[in-house]
């Protein structure tokens, strides 16, 4: 009875708080009072319970009550759950928490909604190649609408780890190599997910991850050590996380890697000094999957020790490892953790629930009618198709082989030509795998009866059967073909002979990139390279449609294949988007956000590198005693920012309205961009700056602005960028964030290599 009355009290209080002031942001006092009151009633076990985030496993609808996790929920041992799909199931589980636990505290329901829910957008690396912040924000907003319609209130996204090593499979989940672009994307994603303040039931809580520096894992091997100077950290890697915090992200996920010898999950400097004290983060920190107990393998001590280390460092929620629930009580008795620290963590979780409006209405995200109406809709799919087409990067187009005419016969050949499950790409947890058309199906839909589309597999993904199994997991099978290599090839050559053009659908299967999918050889697999050679021998024009989750080594392909269209993994509408671009309904405008190396030995290779004391001039190659290799030059195959169009653009010289600035003055750099070709198209104009002399060495160029414009054939447009001393700041040797007067080079162009240049001075401020 007491327990029922209390729940009623809680409910009424929630109603009052909610109706008077809907969100915590508007009235932090009301939130604090509510949580103070609630926490007074909580036992130690219940407080520790809030700090747990178990994974659900399979809970079938109608069985939630008897599931193991439900028992824990009823006992108040759970703060949230993740990766449970389906509004009815979520509603049932929420009911357990709200109606069957002593205090009726609602649960958080999280999921890795990384690039869409059921309507899947391109993998983040592909999405970043759109350089279209509005489209990126909209993709996150649509993901939020769909996820929230299905009961989810929290996504483990955006992933903003800067990465300069394409051996790392998770480069596919981030925004490439650049911190400035990464920060802009982080902001757009958070706005898309959280909306203004998570007040609406189609706005969800974001979680920026993986804090921090996970993309710099040594040797591109997942979960590996990270070690770098503080200058590099703050000048090159931290910006996107910080931008996410500034944009109001409500949760942060600690990364698996160590930093300065202490795993991020137990790193107080990182999680408290930087995140909270320097950046002012006021949400909660969740670990990554079993991040706490993994600290034992890192060599940080037994479960009790590492759990205390994590809590004391600033972790609030334990994903999966059950280290908090199994040890914190004991640690409290032994004085290893304090009641205050447990209270602070518990409060932060409750605050998140409050801000989401779950105390007001625990079923805010459990509207079955919405699930039926708002998931995988025609409208969402149309947006995803358009966005996917903007993410494709045209790497080569000899003699304007593309776009293809909508006539004749096209042979679509390759192990990736006719697979549906391979299209959405890694981390598409909620995708209904066979909902999306395969490439062949999509192309047929785009061309209708105008073009005859023939298809053959041509080869298996690779000759090594065991490797293929490792690379096609989680239902993303490619159905290994048991015919002999010769039989597969003969079939392909036979249809090629009947066709005008060959589209070779090759590259990575979707699970060849993503978590725990690192590779040391980034060339086309053996069987696919052989197939490509044989297709080229036919003398028919060959277009390589390249599926990949990372920059691959395409040196051979660049030499031999006339046209290469990099399509990443474009999501549920990818096949249609590829058809739109191949047949010219859409002019490609994607620009690379990660450098493509000439070989793996050049890695890490990125545009914003330092000059060294013995640089090579651009375009130069081998000089004894310079910083270079004997066997390959220093240039990438395709630089950061690169991508072709079916039209061409020219850039005027840069016009500066002043040649020097001081203090808060601002300078405007302007170029006129002209569409010099015959087709309408979009171009991404990129501004780079070089600080020529510094108190520490500075990169040869850094992205400091960009704008995507659309230009009709023959038309010109002026594009201007404002440059202020704020844009020129960096962390110096003593870690102060400073601008240093002196000479700066300004570069503007359509990629990081081909730029117009001029310069200006930043004059010292005379007091
Ligand atoms: C990944 C995270 C993910 C989590 C939950 C981990 O293995 O590193 O990115 O959010 O699992 O699925």
């Amino acid at each position: 009875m007491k327990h029922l009355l209390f729940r009623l009290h809680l409910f009424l209080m929630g109603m009052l708080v909610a109706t008077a002031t809907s969100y915590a942001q508007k009235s932090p006092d009301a939130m604090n009072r509510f949580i103070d009151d609630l926490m007074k009633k909580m036992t130690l076990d219940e407080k520790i319970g809030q700090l747990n985030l178990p994974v659900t496993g399979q809970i079938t609808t109608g069985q939630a009550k008897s599931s193991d996790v439900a028992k824990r929920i009823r006992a108040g041992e759970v703060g949230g759950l993740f990766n449970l799909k389906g509004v009815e199931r979520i509603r049932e589980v929420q009911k357990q928490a709200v109606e069957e636990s002593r205090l009726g505290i609602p649960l958080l329901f999280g999921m890795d909604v990384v690039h869409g829910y059921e309507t899947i957008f391109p993998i983040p690396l592909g999405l970043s190649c759109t350089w279209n912040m509005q489209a990126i924000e909209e993709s996150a907003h649509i993901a939020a609408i769909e996820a929230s319609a299905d009961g989810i209130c929290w996504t483990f996204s955006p992933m903003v780890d800067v990465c300069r090593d394409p051996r790392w499979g998770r480069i596919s989940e981030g925004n490439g190599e650049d911190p400035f672009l990464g920060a802009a994307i982080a902001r757009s994603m958070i706005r898309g997910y959280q909306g203004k303040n998570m007040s609406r039931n189609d706005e969800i809580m974001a979680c920026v991850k993986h804090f921090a520096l996970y993309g710099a894992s040594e040797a591109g091997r997942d979960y590996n050590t990270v070690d770098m100077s503080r200058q590099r950290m703050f000048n090159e890697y931290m910006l996107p996380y910080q931008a996410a915090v500034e944009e109001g992200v409500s949760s942060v996920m600690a990364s698996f890697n160590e930093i300065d010898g202490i795993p991020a999950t137990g790193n107080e400097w990182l999680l408290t000094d930087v995140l909270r004290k320097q950046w002012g983060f006021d949400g909660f920190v969740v670990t990554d999957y079993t991040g706490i107990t993994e600290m034992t393998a890192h060599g940080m001590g037994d479960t009790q020790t590492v759990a205390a280390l994590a809590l004391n460092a600033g972790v609030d929620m334990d994903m999966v490892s059950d280290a908090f629930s199994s040890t914190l009580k004991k640690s409290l008795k032994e004085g290893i953790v304090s009641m205050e620290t447990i209270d602070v963590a518990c409060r932060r979780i409750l605050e998140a629930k409050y801000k989401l409006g779950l105390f007001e209405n625990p079923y805010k995200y459990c509207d079955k009618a919405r699930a039926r109406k708002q998931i995988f809709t025609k409208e969402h799919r149309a947006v995803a198709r358009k966005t996917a087409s903007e993410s494709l990067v045209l790497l080569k187009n000899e003699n304007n082989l593309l776009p293809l005419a909508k006539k004749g016969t096209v042979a679509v050949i390759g192990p990736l030509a006719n697979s549906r499950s391979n299209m959405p790409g890694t981390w598409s947890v909620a995708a209904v795998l066979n909902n999306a058309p395969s490439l062949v199906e999509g192309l047929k839909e785009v061309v209708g009866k105008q073009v005859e589309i023939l298809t053959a597999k041509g080869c298996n993904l690779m000759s090594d059967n065991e490797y293929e199994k490792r690379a096609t997991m989680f239902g993303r099978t490619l159905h290994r073909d048991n015919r002999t290599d010769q039989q597969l090839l003969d079939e392909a050559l036979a249809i090629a002979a009947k066709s005008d053009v060959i589209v070779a659908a090759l590259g990575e299967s979707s699970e060849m990139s993503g978590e725990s999918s690192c590779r040391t050889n980034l060339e086309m697999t053996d069987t696919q390279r052989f197939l490509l050679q044989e297709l080229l021998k036919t003398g028919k024009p060959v277009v390589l449609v390249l599926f990949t989750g990372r920059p691959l080594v395409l040196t051979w392909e660049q030499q031999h294949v006339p046209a290469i269209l990099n399509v990443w993994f474009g999501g549920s509408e990818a096949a249609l988007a590829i058809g739109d671009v191949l047949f010219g309904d859409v002019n490609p405008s994607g620009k690379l956000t990660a450098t493509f190396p000439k070989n793996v030995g050049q890695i890490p290779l990125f545009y914003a590198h330092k000059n060294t004391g013995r640089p090579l001039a651009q375009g130069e190659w081998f000089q004894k005693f310079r910083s270079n290799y004997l066997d390959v030059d220093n240039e990438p195959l395709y630089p950061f920012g690169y991508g072709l169009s079916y039209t061409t653009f020219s850039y005027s010289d840069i016009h500066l309205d002043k040649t020097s600035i001081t203090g808060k003055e601002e300078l405007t750099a302007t170029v006129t961009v002209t569409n010099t070709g015959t087709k309408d198209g979009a171009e991404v104009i990129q501004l780079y700056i070089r600080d020529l002399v510094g108190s520490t060495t500075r990169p040869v160029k850094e992205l400091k602005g960009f704008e995507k414009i659309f230009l009709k054939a023959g038309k010109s447009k002026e594009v201007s960028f404002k440059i202020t001393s704020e844009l020129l700041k960096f962390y110096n040797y003593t870690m102060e964030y400073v601008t240093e007067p002196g000479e700066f080079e300004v570069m503007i162009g359509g990629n990081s290599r081909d730029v117009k240049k001029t310069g200006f001075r930043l004059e010292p401020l005379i007091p």
Side-chain angles (χ1 to χ4, degrees):
M1 188 59 191
K2 213 169 109 201
H3 157 200
L4 269 179
L5 278 179
F6 179 67
R7 274 217 312 276
L8 182 68
H9 158 82
L10 200 71
F11 178 71
L12 290 174
M13 231 173 96
M15 289 280 287
L16 272 180
V17 170
T19 40
T21 56
S22 243
Y23 335 112
Q25 288 92 333
K26 281 197 190 148
S27 177
D29 290 349
M31 176 175 81
N32 292 340
R33 276 197 306 277
F34 177 82
I35 293 175
D36 286 346
D37 204 62
L38 175 55
M39 284 184 66
K40 276 187 208 136
K41 316 230 157 49
M42 292 173 81
T43 62
L44 174 61
D45 286 316
E46 282 163 339
K47 287 177 178 172
I48 295 174
Q50 286 300 306
L51 316 187
N52 280 316
L53 181 71
V55 67
T56 44
Q58 274 318 307
I59 296 178
T60 358
T61 318
Q63 316 237 295
K65 213 170 165 171
S66 56
S67 70
D68 281 350
V69 85
K71 285 178 205 140
R72 298 186 60 191
I73 292 167
R74 286 198 292 273
E77 287 172 11
V78 176
L81 287 176
F82 74 102
N83 287 355
L84 180 63
K85 190 180 175 199
V87 66
E88 299 199 12
R89 281 181 209 160
I90 288 180
R91 203 185 168 92
E92 272 186 64
V93 176
Q94 187 71 299
K95 201 165 161 220
Q96 297 298 304
V98 176
E99 293 183 14
E100 306 279 331
S101 74
R102 194 179 75 93
L103 295 177
I105 300 173
L107 298 169
L108 293 172
F109 288 92
M111 187 186 270
D112 290 281
V113 181
V114 173
H115 50 112
Y117 187 71
E118 282 193 23
T119 302
I120 304 286
F121 285 81
I123 54 166
L125 184 61
L127 198 57
S128 69
C129 294
T130 65
W131 295 63
N132 181 339
M133 297 307 114
Q134 218 185 327
I136 291 175
E137 182 174 333
E138 196 176 4
S139 77
H141 182 52
I142 288 177
I145 294 176
E146 294 197 0
S148 61
D150 221 9
I152 300 296
C153 60
W154 181 26
T155 175
F156 305 137
S157 172
M159 188 281 213
V160 303
D161 303 324
V162 167
C163 177
R164 285 140 180 213
D165 192 333
R167 291 173 296 182
W168 193 52
R170 304 198 78 170
I171 192 172
S172 56
E173 294 173 51
N175 306 310
E177 72 186 43
D178 187 70
F180 182 88
L181 178 64
I185 294 175
R187 289 180 187 277
S188 305
M189 297 287 292
I190 286 155
R191 281 198 298 272
Y193 289 133
Q194 296 194 165
K196 282 213 170 65
N197 47 21
M198 303 183 300
S199 57
R200 294 165 50 115
N201 70 352
D202 61 2
E203 295 168 344
I204 62 177
M205 179 164 67
C207 179
V208 68
K209 69 188 188 186
H210 306 83
F211 191 58
L213 320 179
Y214 185 26
S217 301
E218 279 176 5
R221 208 183 70 214
D222 219 350
Y223 321 120
N224 205 2
T225 306
V226 170
D227 198 2
M228 65 172 74
S229 70
R230 292 276 157 99
Q231 281 75 18
R232 172 161 265 183
M233 254 183 227
F234 282 85
N235 285 322
E236 302 174 29
Y237 283 82
M238 286 299 203
L239 200 61
Y241 309 108
Q242 190 179 357
V245 170
E246 283 169 9
E247 202 58 46
V249 72
S250 295
S251 64
V252 169
M253 187 185 292
S255 58
F256 286 127
N257 54 282
E258 65 173 71
I259 293 171
D260 296 338
I262 301 179
T265 312
N267 196 316
E268 186 179 351
W269 169 78
L270 183 76
L271 299 182
T272 299
D273 296 355
V274 174
L275 183 64
R276 295 195 184 275
K277 295 188 185 155
Q278 283 180 35
W279 297 352
F281 175 64
D282 67 353
F284 73 92
V285 173
V286 61
T287 70
D288 202 344
Y289 206 105
T290 60
I292 297 182
T293 41
E294 287 178 25
M295 286 201 282
T296 299
H298 274 286
M300 305 298 292
D302 62 11
T303 304
Q304 185 185 358
T305 309
V306 293
L309 183 68
L311 187 82
N312 289 331
V315 165
D316 304 301
M317 192 175 234
D318 170 0
M319 186 192 282
V320 179
S321 74
D322 271 330
F324 280 173
S325 57
S326 60
T327 67
L328 285 189
K329 245 174 126 175
K330 182 161 181 267
S331 292
L332 181 66
K333 264 195 210 124
E334 293 170 9
I336 307 171
V337 300
S338 69
M339 194 58 229
E340 194 197 339
T341 320
I342 296 173
D343 276 345
V344 167
C346 173
R347 173 176 292 273
R348 289 181 185 141
I349 312 281
L350 296 174
E351 280 177 1
K353 294 178 178 185
Y354 186 97
K355 288 177 186 169
L356 278 165
L358 292 174
F359 286 110
E360 177 186 351
N361 175 9
Y363 304 108
K364 175 180 165 193
Y365 297 95
C366 293
D367 178 350
K368 291 183 207 164
R370 277 190 64 207
R372 278 189 296 275
K373 280 190 250 148
Q374 297 189 331
I375 298 177
F376 204 58
T377 63
K378 230 169 95 195
E379 294 73 29
H380 291 173
R381 296 181 67 188
V383 178
R385 175 174 178 171
K386 184 164 179 296
T387 307
S389 70
E390 267 195 73
S391 74
L392 311 192
V393 185
L394 183 61
L395 296 175
K396 183 176 176 192
N397 194 17
E398 205 169 85
N399 300 325
N400 295 325
L401 172 54
L402 290 176
L404 302 176
K406 279 191 187 163
K407 62 177 192 204
T409 306
V410 174
V412 186
I413 297 173
L416 307 176
N418 214 358
S419 160
R420 286 184 174 189
S421 64
N422 200 58
M423 301 303 281
T426 187
W427 280 118
S428 37
V429 177
V432 178
L433 279 186
N434 286 324
N435 256 356
S438 71
L439 179 62
V440 168
E441 291 167 330
L443 296 186
K444 284 186 178 163
E445 193 174 324
V446 170
V447 296
K449 291 207 163 63
Q450 292 166 281
V451 182
E452 189 183 7
I453 305 260
L454 305 175
T455 186
K457 184 158 183 171
C459 65
N460 281 309
L461 185 65
M462 54 203 38
S463 55
D464 182 342
N465 190 6
E466 292 305 311
Y467 185 3
E468 182 168 321
K469 278 191 204 149
R470 294 195 292 272
T472 53
M473 290 180 156
F474 307 127
R476 289 140 208 267
T477 47
L478 285 175
H479 305 294
R480 198 169 173 87
D481 201 310
N482 287 327
R483 285 175 288 173
T484 65
D485 291 350
Q486 192 59 47
Q487 283 168 330
L488 287 167
L489 181 64
D490 287 346
E491 182 191 43
L493 293 178
I495 67 150
K498 289 188 220 151
S499 306
D500 304 304
V501 182
I502 299 168
V503 168
L506 308 175
E508 294 194 315
S509 61
S510 77
E511 291 308 312
M512 277 169 88
S513 44
E515 186 171 351
S516 188
S517 290
C518 300
R519 299 174 63 196
T520 60
N521 179 347
L522 299 181
E523 300 212 15
M524 195 68 87
T525 61
D526 52 357
T527 47
Q528 296 189 84
R529 170 69 62 72
F530 180 73
L531 173 66
L532 199 48
Q533 285 166 342
E534 295 300 307
L535 296 177
L536 287 164
K537 280 188 203 155
T538 63
K540 304 262 169 153
V542 177
V543 178
L544 170 57
V545 166
L546 184 79
F547 290 86
T548 180
R550 52 153 62 84
L552 292 177
V553 169
L554 300 172
T555 308
W556 188 91
E557 287 72 17
Q558 169 65 23
Q559 272 165 19
H560 296 97
V561 185
I564 308 175
L565 181 67
N566 193 330
V567 301
W568 310 112
F569 293 97
S572 50
E573 315 311 309
L576 301 163
I578 297 168
D580 292 339
V581 170
L582 281 182
F583 291 97
D585 295 336
V586 173
N587 189 351
S589 61
K591 300 270 193 174
L592 297 178
T593 57
T595 302
F596 275 47
K598 285 184 175 153
N599 68 27
V600 166
Q602 287 182 311
I603 296 170
L605 187 67
F606 51 97
Y607 84 91
H609 59 84
K610 301 285 186 77
N611 206 34
T612 81
R614 296 187 176 196
L616 275 187
Q618 191 176 313
E620 236 175 43
W621 185 40
F622 193 71
Q623 286 188 37
K624 194 71 182 165
F625 306 119
R626 307 300 291 178
S627 177
N628 52 195
Y629 302 100
L630 284 171
D631 56 347
V632 67
D633 64 36
N634 290 350
E635 300 300 315
L637 185 65
Y638 307 118
F640 176 85
Y642 170 87
L644 303 172
S645 161
Y646 295 154
T647 189
T648 45
F649 296 96
S650 75
Y651 284 70
S652 71
D653 286 338
I654 305 171
H655 173 261
L656 299 184
D657 66 342
K658 320 187 175 68
T659 50
S660 72
I661 50 169
T662 187
K664 290 199 174 346
E665 285 175 7
E666 129 187 327
L667 172 145
T668 306
T670 307
V671 285
T672 304
V673 183
T674 306
N675 180 340
T676 48
T678 54
K679 294 194 164 66
D680 303 346
E683 170 73 337
V684 179
I685 293 106
Q686 302 157 40
L687 166 78
Y688 298 91
I689 293 185
R690 178 174 186 180
D691 184 352
L692 285 163
V693 178
S695 60
T696 64
T697 60
R698 307 285 294 119
V700 296
K701 57 181 70 136
E702 291 174 291
L703 184 75
K704 291 291 178 181
F706 59 90
E707 190 177 332
K708 187 166 189 174
I709 60 165
F710 179 81
L711 274 181
K712 289 212 167 286
K715 294 283 179 215
S716 297
K717 192 175 176 202
E718 274 193 356
V719 176
S720 295
F721 296 99
K722 300 240 176 281
I723 299 171
T724 59
S725 61
E726 194 57 34
L727 209 58
L728 311 174
K729 281 189 168 171
F730 69 101
Y731 289 90
N732 68 11
Y733 194 72
T734 46
M735 293 303 293
E736 291 147 316
Y737 193 51
V738 293
T739 19
E740 294 181 345
E743 302 281 341
F744 292 83
E745 211 165 61
V746 180
M747 292 157 269
I748 301 182
N751 66 63
S752 61
R753 183 185 56 202
D754 306 310
V755 288
K756 298 281 183 178
K757 282 188 193 175
T758 184
F760 70 94
R761 277 189 67 75
L762 178 69
E763 301 289 354
L765 248 189
I766 301 164

